[in-house]
Amino acid sequence: MFYRENGQFKTSYRADQQIFPIRQDRVAIALLLVVAFVVVPLTASSYLFSAILIPFVIMSLAALGVNILIGYCGQISLGSGAFMAVGAYGAYNIIMRVPGVPLVVALILGGVCAMLFGILFGLPSLRVKGLYLAVATLAAQFFADWMFLRIKWFTLDNASGSVAVPDLTLFGLSLESDVAKYLFCLVVLALVALAAKNLVRGAIGREWMAIRDMDVAAAVIGIRPMYAKLSAFAVSSFIIGLAGALWGFFYLGAWEPSAFSLDISLKLLFMVIIGGLGSIMGAFFGAAFIVVLPIALNQGLPRIAGLFGHQITTTAASHAELMIFGALIVWFLIVEPHGLAKLWSTGKQKLRLWPFPH
């Protein structure tokens, strides 16, 4: 009975088209923001920041970019790790080669570099789709690995290909503490998520979804497939590149090309599948699932085995973690292909009707 919109009358188109039309949703989001921006920085430990919160925030941002391309536009991509790498190395080169450049400007320009790289490797989407497009974007992953490992200019002539970022400052304030890193990444995530939500609700978002559902029919009604597909690659690559820059600067601190390998591309793909394709909320659910579950299994499996008088080695725990992880992915694909976001939406709908059966 507490999740109803009875009495919440809308008297304008603006009120009818708002992101959260139900008052309870607006209150819940406001409370969530208060917890994320105020309560968590005051109560969380250093381990919680470095192991869970910062990776979750950055991966949510990356999954958001991947979901725009795959979930909303229907263009399968396996090159997300390459876009992250381009964003990270682009921001690193800008901040090292241009003295005095602000950190925010370097991060944005790193995202622009990833956007241009994504448009370049998005050109095959004009001719091919499905598995063939996935292979074409996979080529971007291998090309980025080779480029940052062999072309020393990108790493300032470092023979090993590894780079390290300088001290992070914003308007003279240090961002070296865990709380500062978390808050900065959280602000970026909130702004990008709001922009992405409004983008997919607008004309360009409807064009993406029309291309996803049936590109031939979309072309017949006047939608330009080239513009829609390349714009999806551009927006998605920019967000993923920005997430890659944050991943390198605020989480890793120092990295090499293998930090953005095919493994991270597959993880991002699993995030949007498990979280829910074509859902902004699904990016957060998928990131939480991928980031938190391995840590929970790594710490929980030895304790569960200890309750039965057995000891499990670290190697066995890591193998069991991969098996459980893979089984859950298969389960989601079979039982709920629309992901956790669909379950969340179904639960909210049932609350709106409860206790009535219809």
Side-chain angles (χ1 to χ4, degrees):
M1 302 296 288
F2 59 87
Y3 190 67
R4 298 279 174 83
E5 61 268 37
N6 293 351
Q8 301 180 29
F9 302 108
K10 302 175 179 64
T11 58
S12 65
Y13 288 112
R14 183 183 181 89
D16 191 51
Q17 294 174 355
Q18 56 189 335
I19 297 177
F20 301 106
I22 302 177
R23 184 183 300 115
Q24 291 88 330
D25 286 339
R26 296 195 293 271
V27 172
I29 291 297
L31 293 176
L32 182 62
L33 291 176
V34 170
V35 171
F37 280 96
V38 179
V39 178
V40 170
L42 295 176
T43 58
S45 63
S46 178
Y47 170 78
L48 196 61
F49 278 119
S50 59
I52 297 179
L53 292 176
I54 294 177
F56 163 70
V57 170
I58 299 175
M59 281 300 176
S60 297
L61 182 62
L64 189 63
V66 176
N67 214 344
I68 286 178
L69 182 62
I70 301 178
Y72 284 98
C73 196
Q75 308 301 301
I76 302 176
S77 173
L78 294 177
S80 305
F83 303 147
M84 290 185 71
V86 172
Y89 278 99
Y92 169 77
N93 276 271
I94 291 167
I95 206 168
M96 296 299 291
R97 296 179 186 276
V98 183
V101 63
L103 176 62
V104 175
V105 175
L107 295 175
I108 292 175
L109 291 179
V112 171
C113 293
M115 180 182 68
L116 298 176
F117 188 78
I119 292 175
L120 176 63
F121 280 90
L123 291 175
S125 67
L126 305 179
R127 289 288 184 179
V128 298
K129 56 185 177 181
L131 181 61
Y132 299 100
L133 179 59
V135 174
T137 55
L138 184 61
Q141 181 69 55
F142 295 134
F143 178 76
D145 291 343
W146 172 86
M147 179 173 63
F148 294 121
L149 187 62
R150 300 299 180 185
I151 303 178
K152 304 305 179 185
W153 185 87
F154 293 107
T155 59
L156 275 63
D157 298 324
N158 192 323
S160 64
S162 61
V163 297
V165 297
D167 295 336
L168 301 174
T169 57
L170 180 66
F171 304 122
L173 301 175
S174 175
L175 296 178
E176 292 299 322
S177 65
D178 291 331
V179 175
K181 291 180 179 179
Y182 164 75
L183 287 176
F184 183 87
C185 296
L186 187 62
V187 169
V188 174
L189 174 62
L191 294 177
V192 173
L194 180 61
K197 182 63 176 179
N198 284 285
L199 196 62
V200 299
R201 294 167 70 234
I204 183 63
R206 297 180 186 278
E207 290 184 2
W208 292 342
M209 289 183 276
I211 291 294
R212 175 196 64 190
D213 295 337
M214 186 174 293
D215 54 353
V216 176
V220 169
I221 64 175
I223 295 175
R224 294 171 293 175
M226 181 182 72
Y227 172 77
K229 292 180 180 181
L230 291 185
S231 62
F233 267 97
V235 174
S236 172
S237 301
F238 175 81
I239 297 176
I240 298 172
L242 182 60
L246 294 178
W247 187 259
F249 279 54
F250 289 87
Y251 180 65
L252 298 177
W255 70 89
E256 56 186 9
S258 60
F260 301 98
S261 62
L262 180 61
D263 181 62
I264 200 168
S265 297
L266 295 176
K267 282 186 177 181
L268 289 173
L269 180 62
F270 296 153
M271 284 181 194
V272 298
I273 292 175
I274 293 173
L277 291 169
S279 169
I280 299 295
M281 186 67 71
F284 296 92
F285 287 145
F289 187 90
I290 297 295
V291 172
V292 175
L293 182 64
I295 298 176
L297 291 176
N298 192 26
Q299 296 186 357
L301 288 176
R303 296 180 182 180
I304 295 175
L307 295 177
F308 296 96
H310 299 285
Q311 290 185 350
I312 183 171
T313 63
T314 305
T315 304
S318 63
H319 291 170
E321 172 188 327
L322 293 175
M323 293 170 60
I324 296 173
F325 194 70
L328 287 173
I329 291 174
V330 174
W331 183 85
F332 270 104
L333 289 174
I334 296 174
V335 178
E336 187 49 77
H338 296 288
L340 293 171
K342 180 63 176 178
L343 296 177
W344 175 259
S345 177
T346 302
K348 289 174 59 178
Q349 186 64 26
K350 288 185 179 296
L351 280 176
R352 293 175 69 181
L353 298 177
W354 184 85
F356 303 108
H358 55 277

